Amino acid sequence: MKYISTRGQAEPVGFVDACLAGLAPDGGLYVPETFPSIAPAEPGESYVSVATRILSAMAGDALPEATVAGLCTRAYASFHHSETTPVKRLSDSLSLLELFHGPTVAFKDVAMLFIGQLYDHALTEQGRHLSVTCATSGDTGGAAAAAFAGSQRVALTILHPHERIAPIQRKFMTTTGAGNVQNLALTSDFDACQAIVKGLFADREFVADVGLSGVNSINWARIAAQMTYYAVAQAAVGPNVPIRFVVPSGNMGDALAGYVAARCGMLGGGLDIVCAVNENRALADILDTGVMRRSATVPTHSPAMDITVPSNFERLLFEAADRDADLVRDSYQAFAKTGEAVFPDSLKSRLGCMAISGMSIGNHDTLAEIRRMLDQYDELVCPHTAVGTAAAHARPSPAHTVVLATAHPAKFPEIVKLAAGVDAPLPDYCAHVADGEESFDVTDASLETVRDAVSSLAGVRV
């Protein structure tokens, strides 16, 4: 199994190398040369069994299946539900796919804990160290901190937009006390954090000097690991039952994992994905109009989705363009220069036929949906999940709808309290985070400042 770049100017690499690199050297994203055929999940099959089958297929001969099984077993041992990501049926037509039973009570744990195991295994075998960077709009940073804290092989730098994430989200990443983890609060928005990470990768000499890697949603291991809960959900609802998945979306990595699961034959009910976004509607506009346009980020009640440049769209564009890397590269070069890329009509048509659509939900409707979910279903949801359920209610479907519940409501207690008038306490197993001592530095959104910080931590190596 080899991996190629969406921009066509990087040599094919194996699974482990693609995952350790994060971003391809030509600035593109890694995708498999061909999508493997993978047997669907069976009803009642264990999560580790399904994850092992998927990740072994994605790894090919880069990792023995027994090694993958061990990585998955260790990764998911820290989840606090016997089914790892259970499907909770609320009605005959609506279910929630609960993705928040990991140590940082958000869906990012599913992939990040596997990545932590994969990196430690691969780097130990190779005798290497890496400097991992992570730009976060909220939950990725906490999941990365949990996965890498104390690692002897990884120095982790987390970037988050200062005062634009929930306080408890910040605490999950700033209270580890680990010497190999540093947190930088940048005085800008998430898109600036993400742009700085890409700027670091553009300096190939710097990449080589510090052994730079990234674990944002651009990392293929995250897409591969997240495929598992789509397969498990299909088996739980019914192996061949049509399902409409509604996915609260920012960078589009979660939705992209569903697309790949379908391409690999794991969704017997067919592909139907709605990307539910907040007032930062760039992804919905791209899918609706075929125009990618830069815009200012608007702060919302669902801050982890306050993103206007959905990085994983590049992978979907690559497939819609029949893997025309030149078209993808030209589109992103135009976007970088002018802030806009207009796709040809033929490409717009193909995007429209991929069974992936977008829908935007406003701030007011998000708050109203949190209240509605409590009143109608006795279910307290986080604001991001509420964006998904609001989209599901606004656009009925004959298929059974599964909304991805991306975080525990306790990650956003202030917003939940505002919307529903009730408290949302953290689960007992992570209540200690609220009182933990934080460590983070507020700094300007400067490529040079971040480069210096990454270099400094790389020299410490805990």
Side-chain angles (χ1 to χ4, degrees):
M1 174 68 74
K2 292 293 185 181
Y3 287 79
I4 58 175
S5 170
T6 52
R7 301 193 187 181
Q9 295 183 330
E11 290 297 317
V13 297
F15 175 79
V16 172
D17 288 338
C19 296
L20 291 179
L23 193 69
D26 62 355
L29 308 186
Y30 283 117
V31 294
E33 274 190 325
T34 59
F35 288 106
S37 178
I38 308 174
E42 297 288 340
E45 186 178 3
S46 76
Y47 195 91
V48 167
S49 173
V50 180
T52 298
R53 185 160 67 254
I54 290 172
L55 291 161
S56 292
M58 288 296 171
D61 58 6
L63 291 170
E65 184 173 349
T67 298
V68 176
L71 299 178
C72 292
T73 298
R74 292 191 293 276
Y76 301 122
S78 59
F79 276 68
H80 294 263
H81 195 287
S82 60
E83 297 176 27
T84 307
T85 60
V87 175
K88 185 174 185 179
R89 189 176 286 264
L90 302 182
S91 71
D92 290 342
S93 60
L94 178 66
S95 294
L96 294 181
L97 176 55
E98 294 184 343
L99 304 177
F100 50 72
H101 294 286
T104 73
V105 291
F107 82 99
K108 303 295 178 70
D109 287 327
V110 176
M112 202 65 74
L113 289 172
F114 173 77
I115 286 180
Q117 294 295 327
L118 174 65
Y119 273 41
D120 270 353
H121 168 80
L123 293 174
T124 299
E125 281 208 333
Q126 297 174 12
R128 295 172 57 201
H129 295 84
L130 285 181
S131 296
V132 171
T133 60
C134 168
T136 183
S137 56
D139 291 324
T140 296
F148 290 111
S151 171
Q152 299 297 307
R153 295 288 173 178
V154 169
L156 174 65
T157 300
I158 302 171
L159 314 179
H160 75 267
H162 184 46
E163 296 184 337
R164 292 201 182 196
I165 63 174
I168 195 65
Q169 284 183 305
R170 187 186 68 239
K171 288 185 176 183
F172 270 104
M173 66 180 94
T174 60
T175 60
T176 66
N180 69 314
V181 177
Q182 67 177 342
N183 289 272
L184 304 180
L186 305 190
T187 53
S188 189
D189 57 19
F190 169 77
D191 288 337
C193 297
Q194 187 164 254
I196 286 174
V197 171
K198 290 185 176 180
L200 294 176
F201 276 99
D203 184 342
R204 301 312 298 174
E205 183 177 348
F206 178 76
V207 170
D209 286 346
V210 302
L212 191 66
S213 178
V215 292
N216 280 71
S217 65
I218 58 174
N219 192 301
W220 182 258
R222 285 187 56 179
I223 304 301
Q226 289 170 183
M227 291 168 60
T228 304
Y229 47 72
Y230 283 94
V232 167
Q234 179 71 76
V237 174
N240 297 304
V241 174
I243 297 176
R244 176 184 61 162
F245 288 98
V246 181
V247 187
S249 297
N251 261 328
M252 203 189 171
D254 214 1
L256 200 281
Y259 168 80
V260 178
R263 285 290 302 267
C264 293
M266 305 201 77
L267 300 185
L271 178 65
D272 184 359
I273 291 178
V274 177
C275 296
V277 302
N278 59 24
E279 292 183 6
N280 296 283
R281 51 173 301 122
L283 177 56
D285 288 342
I286 294 169
L287 294 170
D288 288 346
T289 68
V291 178
M292 185 165 59
R293 184 176 290 115
R294 193 182 306 280
S295 59
T297 305
V298 179
T300 73
H301 293 313
S302 47
M305 294 153 57
D306 290 350
I307 296 169
T308 62
V309 185
S311 53
N312 268 287
F313 175 74
E314 180 166 342
R315 287 183 166 117
L316 188 68
L317 179 65
F318 185 64
E319 301 303 329
D322 198 24
R323 300 199 149 201
D324 184 342
D326 292 339
L327 186 152
V328 173
R329 187 173 61 256
D330 291 347
S331 296
Y332 278 89
Q333 286 176 347
F335 182 75
K337 289 179 181 178
T338 68
E340 182 176 280
V342 180
F343 306 130
D345 288 341
S346 58
L347 183 54
K348 294 177 187 178
S349 297
R350 288 197 291 273
L351 279 170
C353 295
M354 297 185 79
I356 300 177
S357 60
M359 186 173 185
S360 175
I361 300 296
N363 259 344
H364 175 77
D365 290 337
T366 299
L367 295 180
E369 183 67 14
I370 294 173
R371 181 78 240 182
R372 190 240 290 265
M373 290 296 292
L374 185 60
D375 290 344
Q376 186 170 343
Y377 301 106
D378 195 28
E379 189 73 25
L380 197 60
V381 298
C382 86
H384 304 78
T385 304
V387 169
T389 58
H393 285 125
R395 188 183 292 174
S397 170
H400 187 81
T401 294
V402 173
V403 178
L404 275 59
T406 55
H408 193 285
K411 290 294 276 286
F412 307 92
E414 300 87 358
I415 298 170
V416 170
K417 183 78 169 183
L418 174 66
V422 298
D423 293 322
L426 282 166
D428 290 342
Y429 59 84
C430 57
H432 65 281
V433 173
D435 299 321
E437 183 178 350
E438 291 192 86
S439 175
F440 66 96
D441 296 313
V442 180
T443 185
D444 61 309
S446 159
L447 179 63
E448 291 73 20
T449 299
V450 174
R451 182 191 286 117
D452 289 345
V454 171
S455 296
S456 177
L457 189 64
V460 173
R461 299 289 185 209
V462 174

